[in-house]
Amino acid sequence: MENADVVLIAAPMYNLTVPSTLKAWLDHVIIAGRSAGPGSSVAGTPVYVVASRGGSYEPGTPREGTDYVRNYLTAVLGGTLGMEVDFIVPELTRAHLHPAMAGLVPKAEASRAKAFEDAVTKGKAAARRVA
Ligand SMILES: Cc1cc2nc3c(=O)[nH]c(=O)nc-3n(C[C@H](O)[C@H](O)[C@H](O)COP(=O)(O)O)c2cc1C
């Protein structure tokens, strides 16, 4: 990570937060006096997080306020490591699979299209930064 120009993290939501494998990796790369805290060896490195989730946690939804992916990763990647964090968030990825979510399929498709669009825009911006 210290040698990376840009970091890309896949962070599907598992039980409202990040998968345990991602948490384990973070516990290995967050090192006090090296990557963490003042003079962080990764300070300023852009990090893009694809935070996919089966449901929606946006304002106005029943699950608003229970997304512990974005706030946690913002705190550790941005706060502890001093990286520049940005998110791409495909939501409602399970809508096609659950009959109870059938009415949400158009929103799921819109979210997927927006995520692809964001990936292109942010990917190009990242490429310009390191060119
Ligand atoms: C163990 C497990 C727990 C999950 N927990 C949640 C959850 O709390 N909230 C949610 O919206 N989706 C949850 N999901 C659905 C995933 O976030 C969703 O399928 C996501 O799209 C998976 O990422 P991927 O499409 O990048 O593979 C869970 C999936 C698994 C396998």
Side-chain angles (χ1 to χ4, degrees), residues 21-115:
T21 42
L22 176 55
K23 176 63 166 60
W25 177 74
L26 287 165
D27 291 341
H28 284 285
V29 300
I30 299 174
I31 303 167
R34 182 166 163 177
S35 59
S40 163
S41 54
V42 293
T45 302
V47 51
Y48 294 91
V49 180
V50 181
S52 53
R53 63 273 313 277
S56 177
Y57 296 79
E58 289 304 302
T61 63
R63 292 182 178 180
E64 178 181 0
T66 61
D67 171 1
Y68 300 102
V69 174
R70 277 183 282 189
N71 56 3
Y72 168 66
L73 291 177
T74 299
V76 291
L77 297 172
T80 310
L81 298 178
M83 301 176 86
E84 279 182 28
V85 196
D86 205 347
F87 290 91
I88 296 165
V89 187
E91 286 198 317
L92 296 164
T93 63
R94 313 275 302 170
H96 301 79
L97 303 172
H98 292 294
M101 295 176 77
L104 295 169
V105 168
K107 281 192 165 133
E109 283 170 357
S111 179
R112 181 182 157 88
K114 167 93 169 52

